[in-house]
Amino acid sequence: MSDRFLFDSNVILDYLLQRSFPDSIKLYGQCLENGISILVSAAQLHTIEYVFLKQVKQDAPTQIGTAKLAFQAFLNEVSIVKTPVLIEKNHPLALRDMEDYLIEISAEAADVTIVTRDAGFVRLSKRCILTEQALAMLDEKRSLQASAKVAFLDLKAPHIEMRAELEAAFDRTLNSGWYILGNEVKQFEHEFANYCEAKFCVGVGNGLEALHLILRAYGIGEGDEVIVPSNTYIATWLAASHAGATPIPVEPDERTYNIDPALIEAAITPRTKAIIAVHLYGQPADMDAINAIAKTHNLKVIEDAAQAHGARYKGIRVGTLGDAAGFSFYPGKNLGALGDGGAVTTNDPVLADKVRVLSNYGSRVKYYNEVKGYNSRLDELQAAFLREKIKKLDEWNGRRKAVAAEYLKLLADADIVLPFVPEWADPIWHLFIVRNAERDQLQKKLSDAGIGTMIHYPVPPHLQQAYSEAGYTKGQFPIAERLANQVLSLPMGPQLSVKQVGGVCEIFTKAV
Ligand SMILES: Cc1ncc(COP(=O)(O)O)c(C=O)c1O
């Protein structure tokens, strides 16, 4: 049961008329005090207004002006949930009481719990509870919060926060009748290019495909080598492999966790065609140093910006720091869709055009295929959602920065390695990573105390079964291996409060 409440009309009227139902009044008051949204269905508003004003007229006719103002104030403090477009008129609840049925389907669409005093409604409804049960739920929620339980990632909260915008985006797409490569993708590409301060953006199916298509578009494939970090998510390597090239790992700088430019030159051979620099965990790689090496050896530089939407390197947004960049809109990313999605950004018109053609069956004109392309397009509906979410990106990245600042302050003396931020980096804290030699015990202790953590990543790509044919052995990339054994990602996200971070740090300092 959701602990977000849609109030039945009887409970609202108890509050507005101060009727002698103390649980209704207490519940309404507690929600107001604690900033918990009070939801009502659009279907109830007329009845509530009618009954409220009629009662006031009857009991205290001189107060009618005040009552009208009170009703306006009520409208201002509640959130109104629309009813779905079409309804099942013969539903048993609809046959008993149409208004209750409309409340039920509003609550179902918003995924919230109805609170009522009507036991008959509770019996017929799938999501209805009595006022006393709602008060008990709030008590339980408070005690849970006091126990400082924090999930590693809450993907639902940010989307609930912007439900109205997401629903409008869905309605817009549904009503357009155009579901592949329509106006939403076109507009989003334009908006994301602007955001990244890039000349071009091409939407694609996901982050892996973004990198893969860039390599294909540059003609990198069979017999070629692509330099990749040894410490990254496997997608960076897979992009090279899927293009037919060989990923050549280079160890990271142990302070920044990003590819160490000082080690790149030694990995370059006559077959090397490109370097994929990953802005891991949301922190930009040292692009000037990487670009300088690439220039000397005539290599392409591709940014893997899957974890770094909005991060800046020496004041410049990631996405234009190399020849081309691949982004992922996987739901957990700083800019995440409600499904898969990805994009390529670049200032190179030829590359942008090639990626666009490759991503759409090798076709520029429908049913005429220039090359053997792929089906890897950014979904129209996901683009519509992303257009709403990109409006929040800077604000949410800002909230992540506040969370990171609090961690850095509260954990400054803890026996762990904290993230290091070079003076030229403006990271957007996709993840907040700490390191400790006793990582597994630490993770267990935190988990026992209700703190969710994750490991990014427990096995480096060279030791994954998927790359067994390459014949890598343990110890060959010791920094990546050490990181895999020591890194721990603490809860991080725009919905995390500074108070929650304090709770995590209190438990953390005792556990470490
Ligand atoms: C560093 C990195 N590169 C590439 C990807 C691939 O993105 P996607 O999952 O959208 O294919 C991811 C995300 O999972 C990632 O973290």
Side-chain angles (χ1 to χ4, degrees), residues 206-208 211 232-233 235-236 278 280 304 306-307 328-330 333 340-341 457:
N206 53 59
L208 169 57
L211 298 171
T232 183
Y233 180 56
T236 320
V278 183
L280 200 64
D304 179 342
Q307 303 188 1
S328 162
F329 304 125
Y330 180 80
K333 301 295 194 231
D340 274 315
Y457 298 92

Side-chain angles (χ1 to χ4, degrees), residues 126-425:
K126 280 190 234 132
R127 48 176 65 241
C128 197
I129 58 173
L130 293 167
T131 42
E132 68 245 37
Q133 293 170 297
L135 281 167
M137 271 174 87
L138 285 187
D139 275 348
E140 198 183 315
K141 189 176 173 186
R142 261 193 299 272
S143 67
L144 261 178
Q145 279 169 350
S147 74
K149 282 196 170 31
V150 180
F152 170 70
L153 175 67
D154 182 354
L155 266 184
K156 197 168 161 182
H159 296 109
I160 295 286
E161 187 179 307
M162 53 181 306
R163 176 189 284 276
E165 295 95 317
L166 295 174
E167 278 195 15
F170 172 79
D171 291 345
R172 209 167 61 222
T173 311
L174 182 70
N175 293 338
S176 78
W178 195 297
Y179 307 123
I180 298 282
L181 296 184
N183 191 47
E184 299 297 330
V185 169
K186 195 169 153 201
Q187 294 299 331
F188 174 71
E189 286 177 343
H190 181 66
E191 287 154 10
F192 193 60
N194 277 347
Y195 181 84
C196 295
E197 297 158 12
K199 286 196 182 131
F200 306 98
C201 167
V202 183
V204 295
N206 53 59
L208 169 57
E209 280 302 293
L211 298 171
H212 170 222
L213 293 179
I214 294 169
L215 292 169
R216 289 274 179 195
Y218 278 135
I220 296 170
E222 212 64 47
D224 296 332
E225 292 177 354
V226 176
I227 290 181
V228 295
S230 58
N231 179 48
T232 183
Y233 180 56
I234 196 168
T236 320
W237 287 45
L238 290 175
S241 301
H242 289 337
T246 306
I248 303 294
V250 167
E251 287 271 72
D253 174 328
E254 204 160 348
R255 291 194 311 164
T256 65
Y257 309 141
N258 277 326
I259 195 165
D260 186 345
L263 304 177
I264 292 178
E265 207 123 33
I268 294 174
T269 73
R271 294 170 166 223
T272 310
K273 291 286 170 352
I275 303 169
I276 305 184
V278 183
H279 307 305
L280 200 64
Y281 311 141
Q283 163 141 281
D286 187 357
M287 294 305 293
D288 279 354
I290 295 166
N291 282 327
I293 298 162
K295 200 168 172 203
T296 314
H297 296 271
N298 196 23
L299 308 177
K300 294 291 180 198
V301 174
I302 298 160
E303 295 171 82
D304 179 342
Q307 303 188 1
H309 320 72
R312 287 182 189 271
Y313 172 78
K314 299 186 180 171
I316 300 170
R317 279 258 159 89
V318 305
T320 57
L321 296 164
D323 292 286
F327 286 86
S328 162
F329 304 125
Y330 180 80
K333 301 295 194 231
N334 288 38
L335 178 59
L338 301 185
D340 274 315
V344 172
T345 58
T346 182
N347 287 335
D348 174 351
V350 178
L351 188 271
D353 182 63
K354 281 191 178 167
V355 169
R356 192 176 290 290
V357 169
L358 275 174
S359 71
N360 190 23
Y361 287 109
S363 167
R364 200 182 300 271
V365 178
K366 205 169 168 76
Y367 303 133
Y368 291 85
N369 305 81
E370 295 170 22
V371 287
K372 294 189 191 74
Y374 303 85
N375 176 1
S376 180
R377 305 171 290 216
L378 177 61
D379 184 78
E380 182 75 358
L381 185 55
Q382 297 308 333
F385 292 145
L386 287 165
R387 289 188 66 203
E388 298 307 320
K389 292 193 70 184
I390 197 173
K391 294 178 194 160
K392 305 249 180 198
L393 181 54
D394 279 340
E395 184 201 330
W396 285 6
N397 278 347
R399 291 203 224 160
R400 286 172 183 270
K401 285 180 189 180
V403 169
E406 196 67 8
Y407 274 136
L408 290 170
K409 182 174 84 187
L410 297 178
L411 297 179
D413 298 326
D415 186 18
I416 45 160
V417 179
L418 283 168
F420 167 75
V421 181
E423 85 285 351
W424 39 257

Side-chain angles (χ1 to χ4, degrees), residues 442-494:
L442 180 58
Q443 184 177 39
K444 170 144 194 338
K445 282 189 207 164
L446 292 173
S447 161
D448 290 346
I451 310 292
T453 58
M454 294 266 285
I455 296 167
H456 298 91
Y457 298 92
V459 181
H462 70 279
L463 296 179
Q464 294 281 0
Q465 193 187 334
Y467 278 98
S468 55
E469 90 282 352
Y472 292 117
T473 53
K474 253 194 172 153
Q476 218 170 333
F477 296 97
I479 303 178
E481 290 171 32
R482 196 154 50 245
L483 293 178
N485 289 329
Q486 296 185 351
V487 291
L488 187 65
S489 308
L490 300 188
M492 169 52 83

